[in-house]
Amino acid sequence: ATPVYLHCEHVIAAAGHGKHVLCEKPMAMNVSECERMIAACNQNGVQLEVCFVLRFHSCFREIKQLIANGELGEIVEMRVPLLKLYPIAEGLWRRDPARAGGGVLMDMGSHAIDLVAYLLDDDISKVAAFLDSRINKWEVEETALVLMQTKGGVHAVIDTSFIVPYSEVVLEIYGIKGSVLITNGQEWKVRVCVDNSVREELKPVENLYRAMVEHFCKCINGEEDPIAPGVAGLRNIQVISSAYDSARTGRIISVPDFFDVDKA
């Protein structure tokens, strides 16, 4: 739970001392650091998990199962808006590109991008991104929108911001048989529409960090495998890096093929 620029150094040091590692997201500053972190943990026989806490919400686990079971049919489009008001004072590390790696895309965007990959169980293959900091003129982007296409052909949009006080929608998924819509409030309202039949359910607030830590303890004891392994963090950074390339060049960027963990 340190600034992003220290993740690689701290993970490698922990692994070198035989310590299992639960690393905050985003995993690292770049793909090379991710590869070194995974290699260090593999070589020292320790667990490496990334804090993608949304994977631990029962709501998203159920939706993932809906998709896997084919209840929604082939998925066509998905949207993950994660926007909130999060003032960052001048001089703090989150506004320093050299320490944070970027702004809201690295921070909130890492969660949104990971949720797309997790729910669809599909790699993101192409991205086009728009970033700006026109309101507060921060050193890093305060708002980011990323258009993505998965290898399976699904279109996805993630939009994130640190300057929006309220955003109602959390997730939208559209398939050829049905759709899912989640909105927030005191509780999450989950609306599933399949074959013109609509069911709605309220989901209470869950302690995702507790669920993640309890799961990680089971991983350490050999009872479970990491739900968010290091390779998920690396793939996440590959997509984010490609998004920054897109925003800088104004082009659609192809995300590099997934790397071979065993060769890291």
Side-chain angles (χ1 to χ4, degrees), residues 4-244:
V4 184
Y5 78 105
L6 294 173
H7 286 185
C8 182
E9 174 188 343
H10 290 175
V11 168
I12 291 174
H17 285 81
K19 305 299 182 182
H20 301 288
V21 180
L22 184 60
C23 179
E24 185 58 275
K25 61 78 205 162
M27 183 173 168
M29 297 286 283
N30 52 55
V31 171
S32 175
E33 287 190 352
C34 292
E35 292 176 341
R36 291 168 56 203
M37 294 156 71
I38 292 172
C41 290
N42 286 347
Q43 291 165 5
N44 289 280
V46 298
Q47 297 280 5
L48 171 60
E49 186 145 33
V50 182
C51 297
F52 289 131
V53 292
L54 295 183
R55 293 190 177 211
F56 294 88
H57 200 297
S58 62
C59 178
F60 293 133
R61 292 193 181 193
E62 291 171 12
I63 291 171
K64 180 178 176 66
Q65 195 61 51
L66 279 182
I67 295 173
N69 291 343
E71 189 169 344
L72 303 179
E74 188 171 348
I75 304 302
V76 177
E77 189 167 327
M78 180 174 177
R79 177 173 175 250
V80 183
L82 296 181
L83 307 98
K84 67 178 181 180
L85 184 60
Y86 186 70
I88 305 175
E90 185 176 359
L92 295 182
W93 69 265
R94 290 182 189 275
R95 278 180 53 175
D96 181 0
R99 292 185 288 172
V104 71
L105 179 58
M106 284 286 276
D107 196 301
M108 297 285 286
S110 63
H111 277 310
I113 290 169
D114 179 70
L115 191 60
V116 171
Y118 172 68
L119 292 179
L120 297 178
D121 195 21
D122 193 5
D123 283 337
I124 295 163
S125 61
K126 295 180 181 179
V127 300
F130 302 87
L131 315 177
D132 70 66
S133 187
R134 66 186 179 86
I135 303 299
N136 293 321
K137 305 296 190 295
W138 285 349
E139 301 86 345
V140 295
E141 77 281 352
E142 60 193 19
T143 298
L145 182 139
V146 183
L147 310 176
M148 302 179 289
Q149 184 177 51
T150 71
K151 286 187 176 180
V154 179
H155 292 171
V157 181
I158 67 109
D159 45 303
T160 62
S161 181
F162 276 153
I163 58 173
V164 175
Y166 179 73
S167 174
E168 181 176 329
V169 179
V170 175
L171 173 70
E172 299 174 46
I173 302 177
Y174 301 98
I176 61 174
K177 291 183 180 180
S179 62
V180 174
L181 174 67
I182 300 179
T183 54
N184 67 17
Q186 293 296 321
E187 299 174 297
W188 280 8
K189 183 178 181 181
V190 182
R191 185 175 187 271
V192 179
C193 179
V194 177
D195 295 330
N196 295 319
S197 175
V198 179
R199 64 180 187 268
E200 294 184 347
E201 183 179 0
L202 292 178
K203 290 286 188 179
V205 174
E206 299 180 8
N207 189 330
L208 303 184
Y209 289 96
R210 176 172 181 169
M212 179 179 64
V213 171
E214 288 176 347
H215 156 75
F216 189 62
C217 290
K218 292 179 180 178
C219 293
I220 291 174
N221 291 330
E223 301 170 21
E224 294 183 5
D225 293 324
I227 291 175
V231 291
L234 179 144
R235 187 59 177 171
N236 189 261
I237 291 298
Q238 285 182 315
V239 175
I240 290 173
S241 297
S242 297
Y244 280 125

